[in-house]
Amino acid sequence: MSLFEFKQVIVVRMDIKMSTGKLAAQVAHAAVTSALEAMKYRKEWFKKWIKEGQKKVVLKVKSEQELVDLWKSVKDELPNALIQDRGLTELPPGTITALGIGPAPESIIDKYTGKLPLL
């Protein structure tokens, strides 16, 4: 049995070139924005996730289409945040870089992300 009932997943595109710092910033944007969505719309999930220690997992996809398809599949069921870069440094404005999902019950998130590889 897992120590965690809740987790947050951040999914990153691997088909665009980002420096390590840029990648970290995009993951952070996805984590924070998705957590704020959970705090607003799924307060109990958010509170339980905080109490458990805020488990996070970072996964990868091969393309923008794969990321957008994943977002479409979770957007009505789970707190989420699809991140688009503002284009101030390395990427063109509007580039979709990452998707934050949850925090939410691990059993629900895994239905959507359980087969994706770790970053």
Side-chain angles (χ1 to χ4, degrees):
M1 181 176 152
S2 174
L3 298 172
F4 300 96
E5 183 183 352
F6 293 84
K7 74 177 174 183
Q8 183 180 54
V9 171
I10 295 85
V11 185
V12 180
R13 282 178 60 188
M14 298 311 298
D15 63 322
I16 51 178
K17 292 185 192 271
M18 291 185 274
S19 67
T20 303
K22 184 66 165 180
L23 178 64
Q26 298 305 299
V27 168
H29 288 318
V32 170
T33 307
S34 182
L36 289 171
E37 287 293 302
M39 189 170 67
K40 187 174 181 181
Y41 297 111
R42 293 292 192 148
K43 193 168 286 208
E44 285 305 308
W45 288 0
F46 179 80
K47 287 180 180 179
K48 289 178 182 179
W49 175 71
I50 291 287
K51 187 175 182 180
E52 287 181 349
Q54 304 174 40
K55 180 180 179 179
K56 293 171 203 67
V57 178
V58 182
L59 307 174
K60 60 186 177 180
V61 292
K62 295 176 183 173
S63 68
E64 177 180 342
Q65 188 61 54
E66 194 176 352
L67 192 66
V68 170
D69 289 346
L70 178 59
W71 171 71
K72 286 178 181 177
S73 72
V74 302
K75 69 182 180 82
D76 293 328
E77 183 175 6
L78 297 169
N80 67 83
L82 187 65
I83 303 303
Q84 293 186 12
D85 193 69
R86 290 185 59 204
L88 301 177
T89 55
E90 300 177 16
L91 301 172
T95 301
I96 296 170
T97 58
L99 172 64
I101 305 171
E106 193 166 31
S107 60
I108 298 174
I109 288 181
D110 286 351
K111 289 180 195 175
Y112 300 100
T113 64
K115 294 183 180 181
L116 294 176
L118 290 168
L119 178 66

